[in-house]
């Protein structure tokens, strides 16, 4: 492992909700890009080519498939270093997928490619029938992709209520806004701390607040980067219960996590990344029993 590899995978980033609150002012209501809208071209007209064949995005993730997200040969290079190498990765509608691997494996880089924080060097990303490879981050949020980054980045000076309002106001009319904010805080067990500045909340409470804010945008797919890092066992269990509850409500998840016990508690399927490539995929039981996975990640010989 090189220093460059580790730095790329663990870089500190800003919270998706905060960034997209500003960016949403430039988003089109239909989630389309300015170029597409200005030219009169829509996703609907791009779904088939002139011969009537389906586009790759529709074929991979459109109606009639169970696949919500699919990457096709996705590659990301930083100069001469390849962080993600020809990755084919998919998530089904309503699935809870965990992404594990040693430091520097490319996990965070893959999530940033999916959310648009990094541009792909080559390959494609298809989501719900749309090719989002070149879409801006705020457009991907409008299409239904949310993310909580590794480092809590709520607005410390704002109360829990005010932080939650930033998300809820995008999906609820003013007449029902207060009720919706309180309901969202109740769901993450922070209603009693509604008037508390976020900077005074515990690390675990801040993490739950961020997940709640991301969920309040009503995504179909929510990406979490190490949501239980640094948490106590009790706080970890609270996050596991919250993620499972949101998944039961229909939100699909991709969760990066090093805590294998947490992964075992929540995951439907597990993908192991190593050296920027998909190394193994399967159930947590199969992954734990794999000698090669233990060798590269879990500490086995």
């Amino acid at each position: 492992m090189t220093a460059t590899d580790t730095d790329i995978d663990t870089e500190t980033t800003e919270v998706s909700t905060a960034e997209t609150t500003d960016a949403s002012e430039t988003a089109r209501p239909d989630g389309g890009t300015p170029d597409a809208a200005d030219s009169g071209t829509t996703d609907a007209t791009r779904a088939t080519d002139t011969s009537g064949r389906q586009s790759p995005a529709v074929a991979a993730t459109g109606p009639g498939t169970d696949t919500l997200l699919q990457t096709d040969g996705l590659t990301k290079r930083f100069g001469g270093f390849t962080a993600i190498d020809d990755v084919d990765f998919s998530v089904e509608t309503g699935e809870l997928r965990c992404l594990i691997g040693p430091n520097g494996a490319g996990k965070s880089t893959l999530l940033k490619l999916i959310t648009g924080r990094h541009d792909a060097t080559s390959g494609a990303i298809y989501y719900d029938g749309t090719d989002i490879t070149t879409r801006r981050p705020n457009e991907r949020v409008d299409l239904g992709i949310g993310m909580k980054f590794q480092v809590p980045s709520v607005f410390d000076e704002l109360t829990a209520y005010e932080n939650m309002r930033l998300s809820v106001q995008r999906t609820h009319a003013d007449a029902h806004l207060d009720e919706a904010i309180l309901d969202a805080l109740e769901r993450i067990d922070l209603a009693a701390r509604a008037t508390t500045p976020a900077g005074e909340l515990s690390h675990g409470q801040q993490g739950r607040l961020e997940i709640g804010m991301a969920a309040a945008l009503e995504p179909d797919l929510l990406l979490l980067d190490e949501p239980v890092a640094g948490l106590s066992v009790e706080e970890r269990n609270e996050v596991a219960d919250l993620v499972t509850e949101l998944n039961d409500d229909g939100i699909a998840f991709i969760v990066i996590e090093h805590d294998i016990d947490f992964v075992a508690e929540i995951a439907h399927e597990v993908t192991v990344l190593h050296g920027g490539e998909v190394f193994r995929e399967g159930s947590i039981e199969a992954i734990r029993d794999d000698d090669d996975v233990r060798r590269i990640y879990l500490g086995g010989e």
Side-chain angles (χ1 to χ4, degrees), residues 99-177:
L99 193 60
I100 69 172
N103 286 333
K107 304 181 298 298
S108 292
T109 301
L110 178 58
L111 293 200
K112 291 168 192 170
L113 287 167
I114 293 170
T115 58
R117 270 68 189 172
H118 288 331
D119 294 329
T121 302
S122 61
I125 307 169
Y126 307 133
Y127 175 78
D128 197 22
T130 300
D131 186 338
I132 64 169
T133 310
T134 60
R135 292 291 185 102
R136 296 193 301 265
N138 62 287
E139 294 173 326
R140 301 185 198 205
V141 171
D142 290 338
L143 288 170
I145 299 176
M147 181 164 182
K148 176 201 174 301
F149 290 107
Q150 182 176 351
V151 178
S153 301
V154 294
F155 294 101
D156 288 349
E157 71 280 5
L158 299 183
T159 65
Y161 179 98
E162 291 166 337
N163 270 279
M164 185 62 74
R165 181 188 176 97
L166 295 174
S167 292
V168 175
Q169 67 187 3
R170 296 190 64 196
T171 56
H172 289 77
D174 288 345
H176 303 286
L177 188 57

